[in-house]
Amino acid sequence: MGRSGRIGARTKLLIWLIMPSLILITAIILLAQSNTTSYLRQTQDSALNGMVVQSVRLMESQMNDLVLNVLGIENEILHGEKGPADWIRSMQAAAQTRPELVRGVVYLRNDGLTAGYPEYFWDSFGQKEMGIIRGQSRDSANGVVWSEPFTSTMGSTGLNSLVSIVTKQVINEEGKQEGVLAFVTDVTSIVQRSAAFAGSYDTRTLLYDRNNRLIYSITIVARNSFETLEFAERNTQTLSAAKAYFEKNGEYYVISDMNQAPFWKVVIVGDVKTLENKYRPIVQFAVMILLLGSAGLIFLYIGVSWWFTKPIVSLTKGIRHIATGHLDHQFEVARQDEFGEMAREFNRMMRTIQELIGTLKQTEEQKRQADFQMLLSQINPHFLYNTLNTIDIMVDFKSKEEIHRVMTVLIRLLKYGLDGTNVLRRLDEELTYVKDYLYIQSVRYDDRFEFHVEDPPGELASVPVLKLVLQPIVENAVFHGLRPLSGRRGILSVNVRRCGRDLEIIVADNGVGMSREKIKSLLKTGIPAEPGTSHSGDHIGFRNVHERVQLYYGVGYGLSIESDSATGTTVTVRLRMDETEDGPGGPNRQIAAGR
């Protein structure tokens, strides 16, 4: 991740490499699973269709055998010359031939003769069975009729045996009904012998009557083809309920009608989940292959990503390090490919930039020193002109002693101003220089103005400041602030204060003040005053000091002016307190003004 929460190039590369591969592998496995499952379902449907056809055919085959037995006994009764005892032996032979299907045979002649096998069955015949036989005899229309299955004691499983009675009218050659022949068949045996067996999974065979009611159902368990589980679920009591139940639970089923009487319906239900469970290990194996393949791809992609993105990440970190100002940073070059070539070219570029920066710094420093010396040189002629003009005026009005004193002070001022050994002087020396200058001005104007220069506190006296930063400001205050003043005595004060690591010198007068436009023009750099204008001198002094301070201390330092015509002008000089070798008690001694 990047520094701003963005996704890094390495992570993006991994995502673009891994995600398509994972999606492709997953799609292939899911498609294979889907196709396999679809194939299994188609196979299941085909198998179920085959099983239901087989089951129906087996049931119809068994029922046809019963019908043939009925017809054979009918022929024996009509055309044989034997009596009831012989009929019973034929019935016995038919029953013993298919004992699991034929539970009993009986012939009821219209004159009341009854013959059947086994004889003990007919002793237990109830009104229900006899009613079914007589009812089917009336409705048979000379054909074979199957009754709806019902429970009876004549079945193979006892009291709750499920049986069906098959009846056939016995018609003589003259077309008259002589009686009715009835078979009792075990429906359970018919279904069980015809139930579908899939071999590899469980199957259910359900038998419904012509009214779509459940007759019988059986389940064959795959693990033992001889083990059957009978069931009668409430959800399968009707065919419509059974279909809804099977579809809801996702079970596969096939329905087939029995085209011959008794028009029952056979439903085969296959448990395809067993096959799907057998397929599940294959799916699990495929998933395991997917996971192992994905892990291998991830490790492979991580290695590829690391190989390609490591030099890019290293280059990015180096650029960020350079952006913090460490221009001497160099990249380690260990590769001989395009990344190594890029690192070498970057190192070469940084060396060129360092050389250019060094040359630029040297050039700027030389220019700064030249500008500084030029500005410094502008002060001396300007100040000398004003001072000599003052002395010239004094020759006509002052005594020789006073002129001598002024000349002594002037020499001291010139010596201080022309000393080029150091551009920095102690604060107390700079204030002494101001006192000497104001002494000359007081002599010139016959003490017309009051001058107050505050002695700095002991800890500030030795603070180094740029020389000649106060004299132009004081000169401007006298000539342009106090001299035009009328109606009140002019006062000028110089005070010093400390503001954190900065030093502020305040020069305040109660003169005529300045307009805002004039203040802006005084401090506006780059536009020198035109020679001969009334404000050329003050422009030179203010702008000179302001530019000198900013050249030496930087932006944020210099002069600030507040002025009002009623209260006068306050100029604040803001300097930075720098440490120098010239501390308290240094070689520069303090000189009292005028002495």
Side-chain angles (χ1 to χ4, degrees):
M1 297 294 289
R3 292 188 299 175
S4 302
R6 296 172 296 180
I7 299 178
R10 180 176 297 177
T11 304
K12 289 181 180 179
L13 180 61
L14 288 175
I15 291 175
W16 281 108
L17 288 175
I18 294 175
M19 291 305 296
S21 301
L22 293 180
I23 293 174
L24 179 61
I25 295 174
T26 304
I28 292 175
I29 291 180
L30 293 178
L31 183 63
Q33 180 184 5
S34 176
N35 291 338
T36 304
T37 304
S38 176
Y39 172 77
L40 289 175
R41 290 173 180 173
Q42 293 176 2
T43 304
Q44 171 75 2
D45 291 340
S46 177
L48 290 179
N49 280 308
M51 284 188 287
V52 73
V53 171
Q54 181 182 9
S55 298
V56 170
R57 287 179 179 176
L58 288 174
M59 288 185 186
E60 290 180 343
S61 175
Q62 295 177 83
M63 296 167 72
N64 289 334
D65 289 345
L66 292 175
V67 171
L68 292 176
N69 289 334
V70 171
L71 295 177
I73 295 174
E74 179 188 25
N75 184 63
E76 185 72 22
I77 293 174
L78 290 176
H79 302 289
E81 297 179 356
K82 301 176 182 179
D86 296 322
W87 301 344
I88 292 174
R89 283 193 293 270
S90 297
M91 295 176 183
Q92 180 180 4
Q96 289 180 351
T97 302
R98 305 294 296 273
E100 72 282 357
L101 298 179
V102 179
R103 303 302 298 168
V105 187
V106 65
Y107 174 61
L108 303 177
R109 203 164 61 182
N110 293 340
D111 59 4
L113 174 66
T114 300
Y117 175 84
E119 295 182 6
Y120 64 86
F121 269 177
W122 316 121
D123 294 336
S124 61
F125 254 35
Q127 295 296 325
K128 178 179 180 180
E129 288 79 3
M130 296 302 296
I132 291 174
I133 293 173
R134 291 191 176 93
Q136 292 184 168
S137 176
R138 291 192 300 269
D139 300 335
S140 64
N142 299 328
V144 178
V145 179
W146 288 73
S147 72
E148 294 296 342
F150 62 94
T151 57
S152 173
T153 59
M154 293 182 292
S156 61
T157 58
L159 295 176
N160 295 320
S161 294
L162 191 65
V163 299
S164 176
I165 297 179
V166 183
T167 58
K168 173 69 173 66
Q169 292 181 359
V170 179
I171 307 298
N172 58 24
E173 293 179 351
E174 298 176 357
K176 294 182 180 180
Q177 179 183 359
E178 293 186 1
V180 58
L181 182 64
F183 272 64
V184 178
T185 181
D186 195 316
V187 177
T188 302
S189 296
I190 293 177
V191 176
Q192 288 181 352
R193 290 174 63 87
S194 306
F197 173 62
S200 58
Y201 53 90
D202 301 345
T203 58
R204 298 180 189 176
T205 302
L206 299 93
L207 184 64
Y208 289 86
D209 61 18
R210 67 182 65 196
N211 296 318
N212 293 331
R213 293 190 300 267
L214 181 65
I215 299 174
Y216 180 73
S217 63
I218 183 174
T219 298
I220 297 181
V221 183
R223 63 179 179 270
N224 185 354
S225 60
F226 299 101
E227 178 183 355
T228 61
L229 300 176
E230 299 181 10
F231 68 97
E233 299 183 41
R234 60 181 181 179
N235 294 318
T236 59
Q237 291 302 307
T238 63
L239 183 59
S240 59
K243 291 193 294 183
Y245 174 75
F246 295 149
E247 292 173 359
K248 178 181 179 181
N249 290 276
E251 298 186 45
Y252 296 87
Y253 65 94
V254 178
I255 302 174
S256 179
D257 295 329
M258 299 180 67
N259 297 323
Q260 300 179 6
F263 305 104
W264 295 339
K265 298 179 180 64
V266 178
V267 179
I268 303 297
V269 182
D271 183 17
V272 76
K273 292 182 180 179
T274 302
L275 287 180
E276 292 179 351
N277 290 335
K278 291 183 177 180
Y279 175 70
R280 187 169 300 167
I282 301 177
V283 176
Q284 293 174 351
F285 177 76
V287 172
M288 183 180 66
I289 294 297
L290 170 64
L291 295 177
L292 293 177
S294 301
L297 287 175
I298 290 174
F299 283 113
L300 177 63
Y301 291 155
I302 288 176
V304 173
S305 173
W306 177 84
W307 175 258
F308 280 101
T309 60
K310 181 182 178 181
I312 299 176
V313 173
S314 177
L315 184 63
T316 302
K317 291 181 179 179
I319 293 174
R320 290 175 181 169
H321 187 65
I322 292 171
T324 60
H326 300 82
L327 300 180
D328 57 344
H329 180 79
Q330 293 287 307
F331 294 99
E332 295 182 3
V333 181
R335 297 174 60 160
Q336 301 301 320
D337 53 9
E338 289 81 359
F339 293 112
E341 181 65 21
M342 182 170 59
R344 283 189 291 272
E345 291 299 326
F346 197 91
N347 290 338
R348 186 179 297 111
M349 180 184 68
M350 291 308 303
R351 287 193 296 269
T352 303
I353 291 175
Q354 289 178 19
E355 293 174 358
L356 292 176
I357 291 176
T359 303
L360 181 61
K361 285 183 177 180
Q362 184 178 4
T363 304
E364 288 295 326
E365 180 63 24
Q366 292 174 353
K367 182 178 181 297
R368 178 175 173 273
Q369 291 294 335
D371 291 342
F372 189 80
Q373 293 299 327
M374 182 188 68
L375 292 173
L376 186 61
S377 65
Q378 291 179 358
I379 291 178
N380 296 325
H382 183 68
F383 168 70
L384 182 60
Y385 166 78
N386 286 289
T387 304
L388 291 177
N389 186 48
T390 300
I391 295 174
D392 180 64
I393 296 174
M394 289 179 62
V395 170
D396 297 329
F397 300 100
K398 300 295 181 179
S399 64
K400 179 180 179 181
E401 182 179 354
E402 290 177 331
I403 295 174
H404 178 72
R405 184 179 299 173
V406 171
M407 290 296 294
T408 301
V409 173
L410 176 60
I411 293 173
R412 195 160 59 207
L413 292 177
L414 292 175
K415 182 179 180 181
Y416 179 85
L418 295 176
D419 184 8
T421 58
N422 195 351
V423 296
L424 294 178
R425 303 302 289 264
R426 289 165 53 107
L427 176 61
D428 54 2
E429 293 181 355
E430 182 70 12
L431 292 177
T432 299
Y433 180 86
V434 172
K435 290 178 183 179
D436 287 340
Y437 175 78
L438 291 177
Y439 168 75
I440 294 177
Q441 298 300 329
S442 64
V443 172
R444 177 183 178 185
Y445 292 104
D446 293 328
D447 294 325
R448 178 181 169 184
F449 312 115
E450 293 183 17
F451 301 126
H452 303 283
V453 179
E454 177 188 24
D455 291 330
E459 68 276 7
L460 298 180
S462 61
V463 172
V465 297
L466 278 177
K467 62 186 286 187
L468 301 178
V469 295
L470 298 180
Q471 183 271 334
I473 300 172
V474 171
E475 179 182 0
N476 184 79
V478 173
F479 280 89
H480 300 284
L482 300 182
R483 191 174 64 172
L485 184 64
S486 62
R488 63 176 182 268
R489 183 176 175 81
I491 301 174
L492 184 145
S493 62
V494 180
N495 299 289
V496 180
R497 67 185 179 188
R498 179 172 184 169
C499 295
R501 297 186 59 84
D502 296 336
L503 179 69
E504 289 187 351
I505 305 174
I506 300 96
V507 179
D509 66 76
N510 64 341
V512 296
M514 293 180 290
S515 64
R516 292 184 178 179
E517 291 75 13
K518 186 175 182 180
I519 293 174
K520 291 181 180 179
S521 66
L522 287 176
L523 300 180
K524 192 172 184 180
T525 60
I527 305 177
E530 296 181 4
T533 60
S534 59
H535 302 297
S536 62
D538 55 323
H539 270 295
I540 292 175
F542 269 88
R543 187 180 301 119
N544 190 307
V545 172
H546 186 62
E547 291 181 356
R548 284 179 60 208
V549 171
Q550 286 196 334
L551 278 174
Y552 189 84
Y553 294 105
V555 179
Y557 296 93
L559 306 184
S560 61
I561 304 174
E562 296 180 3
S563 185
D564 184 81
S565 60
T567 60
T569 303
T570 300
V571 180
T572 302
V573 183
R574 190 177 187 89
L575 308 173
R576 184 177 64 249
M577 292 191 296
D578 293 327
E579 296 294 333
T580 64
E581 297 178 357
D582 188 15
N588 297 319
R589 60 183 180 86
Q590 183 174 351
I591 304 174
R595 297 184 182 179

